[in-house]
């Protein structure tokens, strides 16, 4: 719609979710960018020789295999350096399983840390400086590294080596300096350590460093030319017969849009009235617990794309439960009231249910004068006391998100019985939590494109609700199979219930229809790469 953390008792709860890690109902969400990981001992692996695809600067040019094996044995016998609760200087020697971010060739990263047995406190400076040189930089890296703690330097040692080992799969234009900077920053607040189960460390490094996002988008192709005109027509609606839209019909816009808005608002307000009786409260603490589960679930359901965003919420310490607030806290200054009407005008403006008033009026969102006239008309509409009060009430009763690092607002009360049962509303709240979180996950480059097209609602809401349905349908299926999960997300009253059919379909009118048509043309992977990674060229936008 518009745009409490429970502390993890064990180390495993700080890991970001992976596609290969099944969700256990008793587990709390593992995404926790705010709490530092508790160190854990890495098990020893079988020794092996160095491989040819490892960065050459850490190879031992003069010794043979037996010498290297002896060196490994000596290092593993040494008393390790203690940091926190565990020793950190242990190397997982030998080729590890590839880390897969998809099923296509080129989406697997090689993992082999054997050469890192040569990195000791005496050789660290040369290692970091040499690795940075290998990645194309003339700057010495060690001055930025030496102040890190032992644990953090060991994390960065593995992280940079893993990135460098897989640099051959990255495109020539990849910015390695930026990747090094991101990993250096991450070293001070990483949530995994080398050797963590489920390849959690490798996924953190390859995502934050940018490798995952780069290879995922590299494997995809933009829509073919034969679809270009069709797709452009959905982003920038034309008149009948595909012709340019004629001049705005101001009288038609006023006479069709404003009554439609009033009808829509009267219907919505009706759900939040119960005579003199107060509406039943919906505890936000319960909702926050559901939000934590949703954050973990979305990463798996739409993987690998949400986690592949190098600076997205999953890696920047975002905790959904901490961001949930009551819609009663939403501001209602004049600009917020106007913004609500803008959103609703776009929602119903092309909907057949309301006779598509924007289409009737030849409204073109690419024309500045049309946008200005719409704003003028809505501002005038707001001067009516009844309309002003209605918008004020509905803002306080409508789930919303705010941009950047802002909060996600959820209704703290239940609507009356005319909307449906209490179980129906909890299903609706679950869907709303998915929808609003997806707004938070949308890449800034994706959302910015909404201002460059005539029907910006396709990007602002159409694709958001399309992905919402993808997640919600799968989640509803899982809830139906698990009474324990149902109790966790809906409470006892949800047992044996199913969501309303309307919740299983995208409900942003023409914006949803256009988004679905575009997805059929470009493919689901292209849509997810554009939405989560900002690769908008994959959905027909420059």
């Amino acid at each position: 719609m518009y745009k409490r953390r429970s502390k993890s008792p064990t180390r495993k709860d700080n890991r970001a979710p992976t596609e290969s890690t099944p969700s256990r109902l008793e587990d709390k969400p593992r995404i926790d960018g705010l709490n530092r990981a508790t160190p854990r001992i890495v098990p020893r692996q079988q020794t092996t020789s160095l491989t040819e695809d490892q960065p050459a600067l850490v190879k031992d040019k003069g010794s043979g295999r037996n010498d290297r094996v002896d060196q490994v044995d000596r290092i593993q016998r040494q008393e390790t350096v203690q940091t926190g609760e565990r020793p950190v200087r242990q190397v997982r020697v030998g080729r590890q399983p590839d880390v897969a971010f998809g099923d296509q060739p080129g989406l697997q990263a090689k993992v082999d840390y054997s050469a890192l047995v040569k990195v000791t406190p005496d050789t660290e400076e040369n290692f970091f400086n040499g690795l940075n040189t290998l990645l194309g930089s003339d700057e010495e890296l060690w001055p930025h590294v030496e102040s890190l703690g032992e644990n953090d330097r060991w994390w960065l040692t593995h992280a940079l080596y893993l990135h460098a080992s897989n640099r051959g799969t990255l495109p020539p234009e990849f910015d390695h300096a930026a990747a090094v900077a991101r990993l250096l920053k991450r070293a001070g607040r990483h949530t995994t350590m080398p050797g963590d189960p489920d390849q959690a460390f490798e996924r953190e490094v390859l995502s934050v460093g940018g490798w995952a996002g780069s290879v995922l988008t590299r494997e995809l192709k933009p829509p073919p030319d034969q679809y270009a005109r069709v797709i452009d027509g959905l982003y920038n609606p034309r008149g009948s017969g595909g012709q340019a839209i004629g001049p705005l019909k101001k009288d038609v816009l006023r006479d069709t849009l404003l009554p439609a808005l009033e009808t829509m608002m009267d219907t919505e307000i009706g759900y939040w009235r119960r005579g003199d009786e107060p509406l039943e409260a919906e505890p936000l603490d319960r909702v926050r617990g559901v939000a934590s589960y949703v954050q973990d679930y979305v990463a798996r359901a739409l993987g690998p794309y949400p986690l592949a965003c190098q600076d997205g919420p999953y890696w920047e310490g975002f905790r959904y439960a901490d961001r949930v607030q009551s819609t009663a806290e939403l501001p209602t200054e004049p600009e917020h009231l106007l913004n609500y009407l803008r959103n609703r005008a776009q929602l119903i403006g092309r909907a057949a249910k309301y006779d598509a008033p924007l289409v009737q009026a030849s409204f073109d969102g690419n024309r500045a004068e049309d946008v200005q006239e719409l704003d003028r008309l809505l501002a005038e509409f707001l001067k009516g006391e009844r309309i002003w009060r209605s918008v004020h009430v509905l803002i306080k009763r409508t789930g919303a998100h705010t941009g950047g690092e802002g909060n996600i607002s959820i209704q703290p009360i239940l609507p009356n019985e005319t909307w449906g049962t209490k179980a129906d509303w909890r299903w609706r709240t679950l869907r709303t939590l998915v929808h609003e979180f997806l707004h938070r996950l949308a890449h800034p480059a994706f959302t910015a494109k909404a201002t460059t097209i005539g029907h910006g609602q396709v990007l602002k809401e159409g694709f958001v609700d399309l992905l919402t349905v993808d997640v919600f349908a799968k989640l509803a299926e899982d809830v139906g199979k698990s009474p324990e999960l149902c109790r966790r997300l809906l409470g006892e009253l949800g047992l044996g219930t199913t969501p309303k059919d309307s919740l299983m379909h995208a409900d942003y009118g023409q914006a949803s229809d256009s988004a679905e048509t575009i997805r059929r043309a470009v493919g689901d992977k292209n849509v997810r790469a554009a939405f989560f990674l900002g690769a908008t060229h994959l959905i027909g936008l420059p």
Side-chain angles (χ1 to χ4, degrees):
M1 295 184 180
Y2 303 119
K3 185 178 150 181
R4 279 162 35 146
R5 177 171 61 190
S6 54
K7 293 185 179 179
S8 303
T10 63
R11 168 67 184 80
K12 66 184 179 181
D13 289 338
N14 284 332
R15 301 194 314 268
T18 67
E19 292 179 278
S20 60
T21 306
S23 172
R24 297 185 302 168
L25 301 181
E26 69 273 19
D27 281 348
K28 295 181 179 180
R30 293 181 296 277
I31 301 167
D32 184 357
L34 298 182
N35 292 339
R36 288 293 311 278
T38 301
R40 193 166 43 80
I41 296 177
V42 180
R44 295 177 183 173
Q45 304 287 327
Q46 181 180 357
T47 61
T48 187
S49 60
L50 306 182
T51 60
E52 290 304 319
D53 54 3
Q54 294 171 338
L57 68 111
V58 293
K59 286 189 177 181
D60 186 342
K61 297 180 181 179
S63 60
R65 182 180 186 277
N66 291 335
D67 291 337
R68 292 193 293 270
V69 171
D70 289 342
Q71 183 183 19
V72 170
D73 291 337
R74 286 196 304 273
I75 290 176
Q76 291 188 333
R77 286 195 301 267
Q78 290 174 355
E79 181 178 355
T80 54
V81 178
Q82 297 288 334
T83 298
E85 299 179 9
R86 65 148 173 178
V88 295
R89 282 203 175 279
Q90 294 193 28
V91 177
R92 305 180 74 206
V93 181
R95 176 71 181 273
Q96 310 299 316
D98 289 349
V99 182
F101 283 84
D103 54 5
Q104 299 298 317
L107 297 183
Q108 290 80 37
K110 297 178 181 179
V111 182
D112 188 346
Y113 303 116
S114 298
L116 294 185
V117 297
K118 298 180 179 298
V119 181
T120 67
D122 294 334
T123 63
E124 278 184 311
E125 180 175 352
N126 288 337
F127 168 80
F128 282 110
N129 290 338
L131 199 60
N132 210 30
T133 300
L134 181 68
L135 293 173
S137 175
D138 295 329
E139 181 184 1
E140 289 193 351
L141 187 59
W142 179 246
H144 303 285
V145 175
E146 60 180 333
S147 62
L148 293 174
E150 182 73 15
N151 237 15
D152 296 341
R153 286 207 309 276
W154 199 232
W155 183 93
L156 188 61
T157 298
H158 285 74
L160 291 177
Y161 187 75
L162 176 64
H163 177 82
S165 298
N166 289 278
R167 69 193 186 282
T169 57
L170 293 168
E173 66 274 11
F174 184 86
D175 190 344
H176 291 283
V180 171
R182 287 192 297 271
L183 292 173
L184 181 61
K185 178 182 177 182
R186 188 70 183 175
R189 55 195 179 105
H190 55 85
T191 55
T192 63
M193 281 296 285
D196 278 358
D198 305 319
Q199 301 174 315
F201 166 77
E202 286 76 18
R203 292 184 181 280
E204 179 180 23
V205 170
L206 293 169
S207 295
V208 174
W211 184 92
S214 179
V215 298
L216 282 170
T217 55
R218 183 200 62 194
E219 296 297 316
L220 301 173
K221 306 297 182 186
D225 292 341
Q226 62 263 35
Y227 293 140
R229 181 171 176 80
V230 173
I231 291 174
D232 182 69
L234 296 170
Y235 290 133
N236 300 289
R238 300 177 176 87
S240 60
Q243 301 300 312
I245 298 176
L248 178 67
K249 303 172 184 176
K250 296 181 181 181
D251 291 346
V252 174
L253 183 65
R254 180 195 62 226
D255 296 340
T256 58
L257 178 62
L258 300 187
L261 282 171
E262 195 163 358
T263 298
M264 181 274 297
M265 289 191 294
D266 286 345
T267 301
E268 291 291 323
I269 286 179
Y271 298 136
W272 301 102
R273 290 173 176 162
R274 187 186 280 169
D276 296 331
E277 297 182 28
L279 293 167
E280 183 179 352
E282 175 70 327
L284 283 185
D285 282 346
R286 187 200 75 82
V287 176
R288 291 186 179 104
V290 177
S292 289
Y293 187 87
V294 165
Q295 179 169 355
D296 195 17
Y297 192 88
V298 168
R300 297 193 305 273
L302 297 178
Y305 299 94
L307 288 176
C309 182
Q310 62 199 29
D311 51 4
Y314 283 106
W315 305 116
E316 291 299 312
F318 180 88
R319 288 175 60 90
Y320 198 179
D322 292 345
R323 296 293 183 176
V324 171
Q325 69 172 15
S326 167
T327 52
E329 299 182 45
L330 288 172
T332 53
E333 298 300 322
E335 177 59 25
H336 301 104
L337 302 179
L338 182 60
N339 193 52
Y340 175 88
L341 286 179
R342 288 190 190 110
N343 180 282
R344 291 321 187 197
Q346 291 292 337
L347 172 62
I348 70 174
R350 301 180 189 279
K353 176 181 177 181
Y354 295 96
D355 297 325
L358 292 184
V359 177
Q360 288 191 58
S362 299
F363 177 85
D364 185 349
N366 280 322
R367 293 192 300 228
E369 59 271 24
D370 287 20
V371 175
Q372 291 169 2
E373 176 60 21
L374 177 60
D375 276 358
R376 187 201 64 77
L377 188 64
L378 295 177
E380 189 69 24
F381 189 48
L382 266 174
K383 291 180 180 179
E385 183 176 352
R386 179 175 177 274
I387 300 303
W388 184 92
R389 291 184 180 278
S390 294
V391 175
H392 191 280
V393 169
L394 288 173
I395 285 179
K396 301 290 189 178
R397 297 291 182 267
T398 304
H401 78 283
T402 53
E405 296 295 324
N407 294 320
I408 293 172
S409 304
I410 300 296
Q411 298 91 333
I413 56 177
L414 301 171
N416 60 41
E417 294 78 4
T418 62
W419 192 92
T421 66
K422 186 173 181 178
D424 289 336
W425 184 253
R426 287 204 169 165
W427 278 110
R428 168 64 181 268
T429 299
L430 181 57
R431 188 188 190 280
T432 299
L433 285 168
V434 173
H435 180 96
E436 302 302 342
F437 183 51
L438 283 168
H439 272 297
R440 181 64 184 81
L441 293 178
H443 195 280
F446 176 87
T447 56
K449 290 294 182 181
T451 62
T452 69
I453 61 176
H455 193 193
Q457 199 78 346
V458 175
L459 299 184
K460 291 178 181 178
E461 297 291 358
F463 282 112
V464 175
D465 215 47
L466 204 62
L467 294 172
T468 296
V469 172
D470 291 346
V471 175
F472 183 71
K474 180 175 174 56
L475 184 53
E477 181 180 355
D478 290 348
V479 168
K481 294 177 182 178
S482 171
E484 186 175 358
L485 180 59
C486 182
R487 290 187 182 96
R488 177 174 180 175
L489 301 183
L490 303 174
E492 291 287 341
L493 57 84
L495 294 172
T497 68
T498 58
K500 285 185 173 183
D501 183 66
S502 61
L503 300 181
M504 306 301 289
H505 305 282
D507 64 353
Y508 273 84
Q510 187 60 48
S512 295
D513 294 343
S514 295
E516 178 58 51
T517 301
I518 293 167
R519 180 162 70 172
R520 287 198 300 268
V522 305
D524 189 56
K525 290 181 180 180
N526 282 36
V527 168
R528 296 184 185 188
F531 187 89
F532 295 107
L533 305 177
T536 57
H537 67 285
L538 296 174
I539 56 171
L541 291 170

